[in-house]
Amino acid sequence: MVSRAILLVPLCFCLTSPTFAQSDGEPDREISNISGDLYRFRQVRHSGMFLVTDEGIIVVDPTFPHVASWLKEELDERFGLPVKYVIYSHTHLDHAGGGEVFADTATFIAHENTRKNLQRPADDAPLLPREQLWDVNDDGLIQESEAGGYIGVDRGEGAFAQFDTDASGSLTRAEIWAARFGGPTVRPPDIYYSEKASILLGGKTVELHYTGRNHSDDMTVVFFPEERTIYTADFLTPNRPARTVLDGGFLPEWVESLQQVEKLDFDIIVPAHESPGTKAQVVEQTRYLEELYEAVSKGIAAGKTVDELVDTILMEDYSHLIEYEFSRAKNVIGAYEILMSTPGEH
Ligand SMILES: [Zn+2]
């Protein structure tokens, strides 16, 4: 179990980050104040949050086991208060991993779809519709030659082998699942909510909002009303394009989900990756994904091939965004795959 958890760490970094784009002199780990008693903690390009109250601490996204252990030490030293709640933004193991260190004192809460997402598929479970698009030889498995951006080529040397835990040369649905959701590092929630939930602790409030399917189908937006701050993971990152090829997703629901977020009354957005931003940057992200969705939908309706779409959908208005070049072609491919595997929904 332990060796598997260690193996997954470098893979998880690759899932979200083509390079370690840290600025010079920036420490690998830090805790910074956002507003009042609300803080962000960060390791390299992964962040979570915590809110300190007189009756204990609420943690959002323990992230990885080694990060959660470090955070626990820091919280004990700085505040001497127990962690009473752990909220998961979603169940991908590079955000929800490591919470076990808080299990003695904390109640864990997440969206209700987390329950099914934490269930390992059967060894003979069929590939998802999008994965079936990659399965050129139609054997119900993904070989390395079929593995696209989501699994293979962009992950660097050895990435396929990290998914292929039984070293068979082919990935089953269960192996693909295990690299994202599974493994021993995600402690199952104690409480599941469906549309909205509130946590009241020490006179402070935290709201959990489900804004529909986006990067995943179990995503929680965490809203701190007093601090006028939201926390979002993966589906909404200020100043960085969404990543439809790397992280899967649902279109057009993803756009609608972003529109729901815009309706919340906040000023600051703290993302699970990159730096905090403002509401104006949220609006920009909605526009980006909406334009991507519309351009790819139109292209498909006009009978264009995916290569033609990649050559013509340039999204140049967004070239100032972080890793625009890294994301552009891959996002066109990702949106194409999402739409082609959900016929009738676009
Ligand atoms: Zn994710």
Side-chain angles (χ1 to χ4, degrees):
M1 295 288 254
V2 171
S3 62
R4 187 174 180 197
I6 290 167
L7 254 183
L8 285 168
V9 170
L11 170 66
C12 293
F13 280 137
C14 294
L15 288 172
T16 51
S17 165
T19 56
F20 283 14
Q22 272 182 276
S23 46
D24 286 345
E26 194 174 50
D28 278 358
R29 289 175 175 168
E30 67 177 358
I31 289 173
S32 45
N33 183 254
I34 296 297
S35 174
D37 296 313
L38 181 62
Y39 296 82
R40 167 187 183 244
F41 62 91
R42 178 187 65 77
Q43 160 149 319
V44 191
R45 292 179 76 175
H46 279 78
S47 297
M49 297 193 81
F50 63 88
L51 179 68
V52 181
T53 82
D54 292 343
E55 291 176 20
I57 297 171
I58 301 167
V59 167
V60 186
D61 279 355
T63 308
F64 292 117
H66 58 291
V67 177
S69 298
W70 160 74
L71 178 65
K72 183 173 168 29
E73 279 175 27
E74 290 286 329
L75 295 178
D76 287 346
E77 206 172 286
R78 291 174 186 229
F79 305 102
L81 289 162
V83 170
K84 299 303 285 282
Y85 289 95
V86 174
I87 301 166
Y88 293 155
S89 62
H90 64 309
T91 36
H92 285 162
L93 47 71
D94 62 326
H95 299 282
E100 190 63 39
V101 294
F102 303 117
D104 283 355
T105 56
T107 299
F108 290 61
I109 179 165
H111 185 261
E112 63 183 357
N113 286 344
T114 298
R115 196 192 300 268
K116 75 168 172 55
N117 288 340
L118 286 176
Q119 296 297 315
R120 184 183 175 89
D123 286 340
D124 61 352
L127 295 171
L128 297 180
R130 183 169 173 184
E131 294 158 359
Q132 289 170 16
L133 294 177
W134 312 333
D135 183 18
V136 178
N137 67 4
D138 207 20
D139 65 350
L141 303 165
I142 301 298
Q143 283 77 43
E144 188 159 8
S145 61
E146 297 172 330
Y150 188 80
I151 286 172
V153 289
D154 297 317
R155 303 292 188 220
E157 190 87 10
F160 185 87
Q162 284 187 303
F163 278 74
D164 187 18
T165 46
D166 66 357
S168 66
S170 300
L171 304 183
T172 62
R173 170 87 278 274
E175 282 178 311
I176 298 171
W177 168 90
R180 289 300 264 154
F181 292 103
T185 67
V186 179
R187 187 208 188 266
D190 303 301
I191 296 175
Y192 297 90
Y193 80 99
S194 53
E195 293 302 320
K196 187 184 166 191
S198 295
I199 295 173
L200 300 171
L201 184 70
K204 294 182 179 165
T205 304
V206 180
E207 292 180 6
L208 290 71
H209 290 257
Y210 182 66
T211 61
R213 301 197 299 179
N214 40 53
H215 158 86
S216 71
D217 67 359
D218 59 358
M219 186 67 71
T220 292
V221 177
V222 185
F223 178 38
F224 303 90
E226 216 175 292
E227 294 77 11
R228 300 186 59 78
T229 298
I230 62 166
Y231 170 83
T232 58
D234 292 348
F235 83 105
L236 174 50
T237 303
N239 208 32
R240 190 180 94 179
R243 290 180 176 170
T244 59
V245 77
L246 287 182
D247 294 321
F250 300 88
L251 284 171
E253 297 102 308
W254 193 331
V255 176
E256 291 153 17
S257 177
L258 292 171
Q259 290 164 344
Q260 291 298 315
V261 175
E262 286 180 28
K263 290 179 187 163
L264 295 171
D265 188 17
F266 67 95
D267 301 320
I268 302 167
I269 171 170
V270 177
H273 301 289
E274 316 305 347
S275 300
T278 63
K279 195 162 193 177
Q281 290 169 310
V282 172
V283 176
E284 178 180 55
Q285 291 300 307
T286 310
R287 214 173 56 225
Y288 171 85
L289 203 63
E290 195 167 18
E291 288 180 23
L292 175 72
Y293 163 68
E294 282 175 2
V296 174
S297 297
K298 267 189 207 152
I300 292 171
K304 297 239 170 76
T305 65
V306 66
D307 289 341
E308 287 169 335
L309 297 181
V310 168
D311 287 345
T312 53
I313 300 175
L314 303 179
M315 311 281 292
E316 281 165 331
D317 287 351
Y318 302 92
S319 59
H320 59 284
L321 297 179
I322 297 169
E323 294 168 353
Y324 160 83
E325 250 331 295
F326 171 78
S327 298
R328 188 198 64 80
K330 294 179 179 67
N331 275 345
V332 173
I333 296 167
Y336 176 87
E337 288 183 357
I338 292 169
L339 294 173
M340 291 303 281
S341 58
T342 49
E345 290 187 24
H346 53 90

